[in-house]
């Protein structure tokens, strides 16, 4: 009577829900950080940059909803508790100082998120293709986000990618 | 001259068509079971439950069509033969006795289907990504169906998920 | 409390449901056969012929639904069970070999269906006019289907009707 | 000069008009009963049940009109007289006590009507196919009405059909 | 390979086509007679009466087309030959003398047609329900035509129906 | 808990419901009489007169529905019982003999209805203005009906109004 | 008092009506022949050829109506009598054997009709220009019909016109 | 150069931003709590209740955005930091246990929010009418939310409002 | 600062870019070959076949663009250099001789492309799910292309699939 | 098998085609002359006159097309050969010298054309009414053209018509 | 006062007009030839081929008009005289025998026209760029026409281009 | 039978096709170079510059299509072969290093293309005006492209044009 969780569901179901709750926390922290940066955007390129921040915030919120939905399908409880959210999250809430700094904080956070999603994709692998496919499609968007941040940096600090 | 079936198509092509014909039989049996349950729905929540059964029947029919299409692309012949359909199918045609029983039968059948699709996804794995991706997307819908059945059960027997 | 089944309902109600379940099986087998032929259509006139097969499949499905509906009105349970469907059905599931052969198989099957519907019409006769009228209108469509198949044959084998 | 009543019109024309006037009275009494029940509907499922009553009242009125039309085609005079209407009618005007009781009264009345229409269909048989076909199509609707009443009963008293 | 004509088609197929060709001739003669009367209409109520004649001519033409279509489905050849049409027809071509006379001629002809359609309905009876149903629906329209003619007569000769 | 019936509702509530049920019976008898006359209309002016009868039947039916609605608002039960309907009604069901006679019967009935509605309007007076206003608007339509009947009579018997 | 027939109407009025009634019979026979051929069309080019037959049947019917109209304007009575229609007609009703044969029969019939219309045009000549112009415009359409038949023949038997 | 903050801005600007950041945290915690409850909704009235939770979550998110916007207008930085969010917030994140419990938790939280918004409205009072009006309109929505929760409770526990 | 390329990006990044540049070259060679065939199409079925070639050319161009985009996301440089393009490509540029030959060349090339995409899918496997998913969706389209070519061959050389 | 050319086609068919080819040549020469004059128009009234020339050229071209169409219906071949066109034509190609002269040339040519069309109308007379009617309608337009030329002359040489 | 012909107009103006009048004659002969072929088209592919002929006729007529316009701009007189038109023209008026022959004649004529236009383009060269550009654009269309004719030949005689 | 290639086509046809195939290769190399630069664009003005590159790539592709079309009209085969494409091309595929470098490479390539198109225009000169005019219009666009590149350079290196 556990819905889609059949006996051949390989691996630890509790661990799966745990991993997804970390992903949920990661997305929620990203939403908060992008919102913060959206409201704190100042200066010459504010419109373009702030617009990018807001668009990312919206997409991260959609990711959070899809993850919470999947957690309930797996019979778990999505953890939205603000207490401990920061520690459950893979990426950090950094406020940044000025536009360049904010963009860099987001880039760092997206890269951390990418790493953790790649881990999760492997974790679910062949055992739970439905969850894996959801995470893969979120991962692809996060990679675009990281690329967008590099693009924004390059426009303000042309030597960035060269440094890479 | 075998279209998309190249020499590196790894694994047994006959077996692949065989597996897909089992999936086809599984979907067709699901259509028949949901149709039966749709027409046998009675009682207080008849409208809502019967409506869910009919919607699932329609979606399973679409799955059957996608699978038949893929079988012809692989150079095989889709087997719609009613003779042996029940044994080719992974899930059973159970008539159920009353609404609760019918919902439970569907849940059981969906769970069996989920298991078999997970197996098939592994079977095609890296050897035939196109078929695997089609099966993965069908699997995701079947998981939603299993979840829907649990939801219906909970509305009639609130303690169900708690039992899980 | 048996709805429209009053005490003057003449003849054997169980037998009536049985007969209708045979009609249901017949229609379901027709759907499966037409679907098979639709997916196996090849060659020069593929588009026109396959389109006809698909249209017939859709209409047979509608017949099956009307019959199942009537069975429940008569207090019976529509039998969608794939086990024994072939033997319950009046027409056969023949796969055919090539376009001409498939058209011929459908023609044969439609003709068998026409015969059995004529029998059923007589069976219900004056005892259950409502069921009889439903079967009569299905019969008329099956006769059109048989005619369509002869038309297709004539276009591919002009001497066909002449042979009759 | 009797219009469509030709010399080969077999059987008793006066009796035919008489039978149809009984059918007319039956329909008119049904209209009155359903109207009464419509206005007396109370309680939780009032909307759904009362709506069903009103829809039936409208359809019975249409039946009455078609029967009256046919009576005049047969050279008779449709009898709308309220005096004796109750005794001419096959079904009774019962007011019922509460929703369940009203639904049951309608079910009883519909079943009586079904029986009498089956009789009439046989009465006209091959001698007057036009009248027979009209009565057959009315019969089919009355059977649906009886089925609707059973459905309503089942929603309030789930064990009803089981009792059958 | 005879399309909808299966071996259980009871009775004489040649005779069936023959009977239908008589019906075809009957309808064609009706068309001709109504056309004649349409063009010969004179006097006070010309518009109303002539309009009725023309409408009937059109409906009889549609009947002729449906009958011819059915003849070809039965593998026969519809006989449109003007030679012998009058003798194949059940109703006569009478020219009439003045409006009253023409209306009466049509009434007579419609009554003859009604009788012959009643016969044909019996002839096909249970053996060919599809043809029977087509003839029954034509019969119903012919009865309306007869009724229309009586109505027209009553408007010109109020004592007509009283005479019946 | 008696809906719109507050403690200041003056006068006898049982008597009020009784009076309205008489009005309801009156309207229902009018519907039946007009329907009868509609179907029995014959002769030269049939179309015009029958159309008038049908329109009145429809309007009387609407009156009956408004009255039944008001009875339930007052906590009463609308009486649709065909038994005793004729005696509860103020106007009679007279079949009439020929067009002129039918028109005259309707005129007499409408005049009786007008008298009784005038009485009822006085009965409710200031005590129940809502019911009174409903009856007043019905009365106005009945007066139009009476006028329509005089108009029809004048067209057939020009000396009628002079006689009135 | 003979409407458009004034004292200077030259020539024999009875003969004029006679000639037009022959034209009427000719057109009616053409309608019957084209209808027959329409229903007997078979084989590969069925759609295109049968469509042409039906279109011609419709146009010939319109010619018949115009001629009948003119006959009544000349004070005559259009003769729709099926008795003797074949002998009154200039063109024959030939059933033909196969598509090519049917097309040829129509061509022959159209050519006969053309000849007879040329004659009639001469007959009315300067004495009745209105009738002559009507016949001339019908003639032009018949010539197009003959041309259409030659076109159809050429598409099926390319050497046809060359033979001319 | 401080935008809308002119020298006459009365009161403590830092304190104002502080208060608004508490409101922001309150709204964000509400969003998280409602989201959690939305995904954890189970049982009979799941659809209706979960829908209400989702709608509230959306409205609280809009409140949060309006408050963050105002904070930046006042020259402050909106604090989206998950660290300490729970303690900055006036209302708590309580997960609840079952539907009734969740509804009660939301009611408690909304009532706490209402109290705190009433306080804030007094704080800004006449000194900053723009902020005050924004808070007043948020307060009105929170009161509606509290009412909605009472409504939901009554449907499950009819005695609730009386107890409140 | 390398955007989505985090330290856990497993496997050889240079090799990944290399593989994708081979895919890019493959797609570009396909575009060139389809364009060549489009312009060299001649003869009876020119329109249909050339249209298919052009459509495929357009879709391959879109694939090339998606691959180039991904290469830049991985920090690589898409290699559009015509020098060495043929050797970097997996499929060949074959001009073909006549329609049948061109279709066959495309079929061969598509099959080679399918093989190489299957290899690449395995290469990226779990290490780079985003790239793998892009290649999987391109692979599905290439399989459809191969199927289209077989369909075209069958229409011109009906025995083709039979040979397989 | 000569389409509309029946054996009663009186007179010499070759001569008929010859005559029509002369008409065709006449129209073509008129087109050329009007075109020449259109391009050579000069002076004060150029716009009006040249416009008239162009309109005539267009209408003569339409005449030529209708004549060529009819020639093919008669089984002939329309002669568009420029060699001998001038001598086949009834009217001449005169270039004219100045506006007045050109208008006069056209007038002369139109008058010659009118004469020749009158001859042709007589030639076909009663033997070929279809051709005659076509020529009659062309003749009417040529008469309008002649009138137009006189109008133009009068505008430039007011005394012209007086002289005529 | 010679309009656009200034003193620096190099080369022989009379010769220029002469050359253009040859082009005019060439186009007019093409119009006549295409018209002839349009009316003489017969047989299976009549519609497609005749349509092409008519389209070319229209385009050649437009060329003729542009050339005549230019001649008048150069102060010359466009020569539309049918006398000598054939000898002034570069391409011939050949009637052809059958469809293939007609297509070939047009191809030959177009090729001759192409040659002559190339000559004329050289003749005007740099001395009169306006006339040259007009001729160049006409030349481009004539080349398309030649290509169209080869396409038509290939569809009827597939080996044609191969022979080239 | 070589379509628009007549015997007076001066110069070497093979050489003409050769020259056009060089132009085709030149355009294809330009497409590849612009695509490369589009994907490699970085830095501040990325959007504007990359947009320009993409637009040029699209226009060069259109040029390639027009040239391929003309090659087939001349009876040649367009050479899309990637082998040798670089050596057939007049302009080089240079990848460039950074934005400035890429713009400069494009400028150099466009200038080389301009030179070669000017050569080709002279080559076709008077012998093949149609091809020459096509090349002239392509040349005009290439000159615009060169200008665009200079514009881009000036925006990044304001001193460029001054240096030029």
């Amino acid at each position: 009577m556990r819905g889609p969780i059949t006996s051949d569901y390989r691996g630890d179901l509790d661990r799966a829900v745990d991993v997804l709750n970390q992903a949920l926390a990661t997305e929620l922290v990203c939403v908060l950080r992008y919102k913060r940066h959206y409201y704190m955007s100042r200066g010459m390129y504010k419109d373009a940059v702030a617009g990018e921040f807001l668009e990312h915030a919206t997409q991260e919120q959609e990711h959070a909803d899809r993850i919470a939905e999947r957690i309930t399908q797996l019979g778990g409880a999505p953890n939205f508790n603000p207490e401990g959210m920061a520690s459950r999250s893979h990426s950090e809430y950094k406020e940044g100082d000025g536009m360049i700094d904010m963009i860099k904080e987001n880039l760092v956070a997206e890269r951390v998120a990418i790493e953790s999603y790649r881990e999760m994709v492997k974790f679910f692998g062949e055992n739970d293709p439905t969850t894996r496919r959801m995470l893969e499609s979120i991962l692809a968007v996060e990679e675009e986000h990281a690329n967008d941040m590099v693009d924004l940096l390059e426009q303000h600090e042309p030597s960035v990618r060269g440094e890479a």
Side-chain angles (χ1 to χ4, degrees), chain A:
Chain A
M1 290 301 139
R2 296 195 307 166
I5 309 304
T6 56
S7 60
D8 73 331
Y9 190 93
R10 300 211 204 130
D12 189 346
L13 193 61
D14 290 349
R15 174 119 174 71
V17 168
D18 213 53
V19 162
L20 286 175
N21 263 323
Q22 288 169 31
L24 177 60
T26 302
E27 292 293 339
L28 291 171
V29 166
C30 284
V31 173
L32 294 166
R33 189 186 59 249
Y34 275 120
K35 275 285 176 87
R36 159 80 183 200
H37 292 176
Y38 168 69
Y39 286 110
M40 295 306 285
S41 292
R42 297 282 182 285
M44 201 164 54
Y45 296 106
K46 174 182 172 178
D47 283 354
V49 175
E52 199 81 19
F53 287 169
L54 190 56
E55 187 191 324
H56 285 197
T58 305
Q59 289 173 328
E60 308 291 29
Q61 184 63 55
E62 286 164 9
H63 294 169
D65 286 336
R66 288 174 64 193
I67 293 167
E69 180 86 34
R70 183 65 187 163
I71 288 171
T72 62
Q73 283 182 358
L74 293 179
N79 189 350
F80 285 91
N81 200 337
E83 291 283 3
M85 183 189 286
S87 50
R88 285 195 309 279
S89 165
H90 292 281
S91 65
E92 289 180 89
Y93 175 91
K94 284 279 186 68
E95 297 185 345
D97 205 2
M99 294 305 270
I100 297 294
D101 212 34
M102 289 196 287
I103 298 172
K104 280 182 181 167
E105 287 300 346
N106 285 320
L107 178 53
V108 167
E110 291 287 1
R111 286 168 57 85
V112 170
I114 286 165
E115 279 188 341
S116 58
Y117 279 115
R118 284 221 187 89
E119 282 301 315
M120 294 182 210
V121 164
K122 270 177 221 150
F123 172 79
F124 288 98
E126 293 186 351
N127 293 326
D128 182 350
T130 302
T131 305
R132 175 176 46 76
R133 277 163 51 91
M134 179 192 73
L135 293 169
E136 282 172 358
S137 76
I138 292 176
L139 169 58
V141 176
E142 303 294 353
E143 296 191 16
E144 279 176 28
H145 285 184
N147 214 43
D148 291 346
M149 288 301 118
V150 171
D151 274 4
L152 287 178
L153 270 184
E154 280 177 337
Q155 286 174 15
H156 295 79
E157 294 191 328
S159 61
V160 167
R161 199 185 290 256
E163 290 169 11

